Amino acid sequence: LVPVLDDRIGVAGRDALLRAAGIDALPDGSSMIDEAPVARLHQELRRSVPRLATGVATAAGTATGDYILEHRIPTPARRLLQLMPAPLSARLLCTAIEKHAWTFAGSGSFRVVSRKPIVFEIEDNPVVRGESSNTPVCGWHAAVFERLFRALISDDYRATETRCAAAAGNVCRFR
């Protein structure tokens, strides 16, 4: 999220958002990042810069997907997923996402609702916990899912948040 903020609103704007979210310093990447400041930053982005929030979250989610592809999925596994028939590859990717959900769902609860069509849910999503919105706001999550599926399975995949806990849903649901 930070590099996208730097690009879209500049370092001074990013620093102002960080201060407003109660973040004194950026993590150095040497350990897992606490979900609370991340959630506060996403929420402050939506509160302070609402007209840019969706585009920034989507770009940051896509960049996160790129990072995962480059640094978290071994090259042989990426190649294998790309060579396998799409239904089998998608099933395996769903399983891998489910196994590593703690990295993006934090204290929320993630589950694969369906593998055909692919539907994911995050219950008690910390990124929107306590928020209220008229529309779904979890564009970051949707963009990460879409980037992974498009890169590893087929460019035909799209991810959409169809229900959001912030928009009077009981879960954040992605299809």
Side-chain angles (χ1 to χ4, degrees):
L1 183 58
V2 170
V4 175
L5 289 171
D6 289 351
D7 181 58
R8 302 279 174 98
I9 64 172
V11 173
R14 179 253 295 169
D15 287 345
L17 273 178
L18 290 171
R19 280 192 303 277
I23 301 170
D24 298 325
L26 293 173
D28 64 9
S30 64
S31 61
M32 292 303 295
I33 299 170
D34 179 22
E35 72 180 27
V38 173
R40 289 194 313 267
L41 182 56
H42 277 270
Q43 292 170 358
E44 189 59 40
L45 170 65
R46 289 189 288 272
R47 194 172 22 260
S48 295
V49 198
R51 71 187 196 327
L52 297 178
T54 299
V56 167
T58 300
T62 300
T64 300
D66 288 339
Y67 173 85
I68 292 166
L69 289 165
E70 182 68 28
H71 299 284
R72 296 292 179 238
I73 303 174
T75 300
R78 284 196 317 266
R79 287 190 182 134
L80 182 62
L81 285 170
Q82 291 166 334
L83 292 172
M84 294 170 68
L88 180 57
S89 203
R91 179 179 274 295
L92 290 173
L93 185 54
C94 286
T95 299
I97 289 171
E98 188 172 35
K99 180 179 178 185
H100 297 282
W102 62 274
T103 64
F104 61 83
S107 61
S109 178
F110 177 87
R111 74 183 186 114
V112 177
V113 175
S114 169
R115 284 179 164 79
K116 190 172 182 178
I118 296 169
V119 178
F120 300 147
E121 283 184 350
I122 303 173
E123 185 177 352
D124 194 26
N125 185 350
V127 173
V128 299
R129 192 176 288 145
E131 271 191 283
S132 181
S133 173
N134 292 327
T135 60
V137 295
C138 301
W140 180 87
H141 288 91
V144 172
F145 298 143
E146 181 170 311
R147 178 66 181 121
L148 294 175
F149 277 88
R150 291 185 75 181
L152 296 170
I153 315 299
S154 168
D155 198 41
D156 294 334
Y157 277 89
R158 299 292 181 268
T160 304
E161 185 179 22
T162 60
R163 186 182 309 161
C164 185
N170 56 344
V171 297
C172 299
R173 179 177 271 203
F174 304 89
R175 180 183 170 116

